[in-house]
Amino acid sequence: DGGITISGEKKKEKEIKRKDYYKWESSYGSFCRTFALPTEVQQDKVKSTFKDGILEVIMPKSEEAKSKEVKVKIE
């Protein structure tokens, strides 16, 4: 209702094997962000993609929100 919440979990493991040493690192954690939306959206038409570490969320405006145009006179 008027906002979007994005949550997830990230995990990273790194292993290095050398002749004279061995190193293994592990990090992890969860996150959650909530954003207020400036206008109403068509909830049934929201789409998202995640590619190459980039999250893209497409939220079309509702018809009511599209009709709320405000023209500003420039002097």
Side-chain angles (χ1 to χ4, degrees):
D1 292 331
I4 183 171
T5 300
I6 299 173
S7 62
E9 186 175 306
K10 51 186 175 179
K11 297 179 183 180
K12 182 179 178 183
E13 294 182 356
K14 186 176 181 180
E15 182 178 31
I16 300 174
K17 293 181 182 181
R18 301 274 195 239
K19 182 179 178 180
D20 54 343
Y21 73 93
Y22 173 80
K23 179 179 174 182
W24 185 76
E25 294 179 356
S26 175
S27 63
Y28 60 92
S30 60
F31 62 91
C32 181
R33 302 287 185 269
T34 301
F35 304 94
L37 299 175
T39 185
E40 293 291 321
V41 297
Q42 297 178 31
Q43 293 181 3
D44 59 332
K45 294 187 179 178
V46 174
K47 295 181 182 180
S48 65
T49 58
F50 184 75
K51 183 178 179 183
D52 298 326
I54 297 173
L55 175 65
E56 179 180 23
V57 181
I58 299 172
M59 298 177 283
K61 289 182 182 180
S62 66
E63 292 303 319
E64 295 84 25
K66 287 181 184 178
S67 65
K68 292 181 184 177
E69 266 185 32
V70 177
K71 293 187 179 188
V72 177
K73 184 178 177 182
I74 300 175
E75 296 179 16

